[in-house]
Amino acid sequence: MLKTPYWLPLPLLLVAPQALALVPPEYKEPEDRLDAEVELGLQFTSGNSESSNFNGRGKLVYDADAAKHETVLKAYFASDNQSTTAEQYTLEYQLDYKLGGSNYIYGRSELLWDKFGSFTRQQIYSAGYGSTLVDRRHTKLSLEVGGGYRYNEPNLTDADQGGRRSTDEGIARFSGKFSQRLHEYTTFNTEGAVETGNRNTVATLKMSIRNQLWADLALKIGTDLKFTDRVPENSERTDIISTVNLLYTF
């Protein structure tokens, strides 16, 4: 029967303290401050009628000690067998500078291109004060108030309104965000805002239910509503986009 040499454990005893020194007991993995998600939805029909639509959304959040950066990019496209019926792109960016506790100062910009909307191009810039009123494990609520500037380019021909193509104005902005976990794998989110000026008032409401399928993949059902008080002639005051998407977080 072979016996282990008495000197074999000695190298292990010499190496072990050095290995423990490389990974101290209080070591923690570095906190991941960057969150990203991508969602996509596609639909095609053929036969008596042919149509297709696509919507996509990307979100990137970097939450640092002093400030939080959030960027959102959205695209929506639809067509039938004759022509394109919808084409819309949105870029949003918001910076929240933390004041301590649940309060912050924000700066926000939103750029919208909508080929078939009541306004083909909008630029909105605002800044103000925000507060997270509820921040629990399953419930979150935050409110914001501020002011800014809005530029509108209506969907008109050159002959409409004497050829006047665009307007700009100062605005007051009020908004809120609410999130509630309904189940271990299901979350309800809603976000609303009212931006009002001396020329126009725009109200938006975004609602979604997100159900985690497995790992980082989820099913998201959402509805975006936009109401514009004053629109060009022959334009609708209310726009509604409903989506069913797969969402991946990483």
Side-chain angles (χ1 to χ4, degrees):
M1 180 176 179
L2 294 177
K3 295 184 179 180
T4 303
Y6 69 90
W7 50 264
L8 187 59
L10 294 178
L12 298 177
L13 294 175
L14 295 175
V15 174
Q18 298 179 7
L20 292 175
L22 294 175
V23 184
E26 66 276 8
Y27 173 79
K28 294 182 180 180
E29 290 289 339
E31 185 179 356
D32 187 4
R33 298 177 179 270
L34 185 64
D35 292 318
E37 60 184 39
V38 175
E39 62 180 87
L40 297 172
L42 294 169
Q43 178 177 322
F44 299 96
T45 62
S46 61
N48 293 322
S49 63
E50 296 184 3
S51 65
S52 63
N53 66 62
F54 162 83
N55 76 89
R57 175 180 170 272
K59 180 179 179 181
L60 185 65
V61 178
Y62 181 73
D63 195 353
D65 291 332
K68 177 182 176 182
H69 305 260
E70 181 175 318
T71 303
V72 178
L73 176 62
K74 296 186 290 185
Y76 178 73
F77 176 86
S79 64
D80 55 27
N81 54 358
Q82 295 181 348
S83 61
T84 300
T85 57
E87 186 176 353
Q88 182 184 111
Y89 308 97
T90 305
L91 176 62
E92 303 173 3
Y93 171 75
Q94 180 162 328
L95 169 64
D96 298 339
Y97 181 77
K98 302 176 183 179
L99 299 177
S102 60
N103 304 317
Y104 58 93
I105 296 174
Y106 77 89
R108 187 176 188 276
S109 62
E110 179 178 351
L111 308 178
L112 171 68
W113 297 268
D114 191 349
K115 185 175 181 180
F116 299 94
S118 55
F119 293 92
T120 58
R121 189 157 63 100
Q122 287 186 312
Q123 299 177 19
I124 306 168
Y125 306 96
S126 62
Y129 169 83
S131 179
T132 303
L133 303 180
V134 180
D135 189 3
R136 300 172 183 169
R137 182 178 179 184
H138 299 306
T139 306
K140 292 185 179 181
L141 172 65
S142 62
L143 298 177
E144 297 175 350
V145 59
Y149 164 85
R150 178 172 59 209
Y151 169 85
N152 305 297
E153 186 171 312
N155 195 351
L156 303 172
T157 64
D158 292 337
D160 292 332
Q161 294 188 357
R164 187 175 182 180
R165 299 283 303 173
S166 62
T167 61
D168 57 349
E169 60 180 332
I171 60 170
R173 181 177 184 270
F174 309 90
S175 67
K177 297 180 181 180
F178 175 73
S179 176
Q180 176 67 51
R181 178 173 289 186
L182 305 176
H183 182 267
E184 183 180 0
Y185 302 106
T186 306
T187 305
F188 172 75
N189 296 284
T190 183
E191 178 180 346
V194 176
E195 297 167 344
T196 181
N198 60 349
R199 295 180 182 271
N200 212 341
T201 297
V202 178
T204 59
L205 178 62
K206 304 173 185 178
M207 299 179 293
S208 66
I209 292 180
R210 175 172 167 177
N211 187 67
Q212 207 71 23
L213 299 177
W214 64 80
D216 298 323
L217 188 65
L219 177 67
K220 180 181 175 182
I221 302 174
T223 300
D224 290 3
L225 297 91
K226 181 177 181 180
F227 173 82
T228 305
D229 185 39
R230 299 177 183 176
V231 297
E233 189 176 355
N234 300 323
S235 297
E236 297 290 338
R237 300 169 72 184
T238 303
D239 295 316
I240 302 176
I241 298 177
S242 299
T243 58
V244 179
N245 292 348
L246 287 177
L247 183 147
Y248 180 77
T249 57
F250 54 93

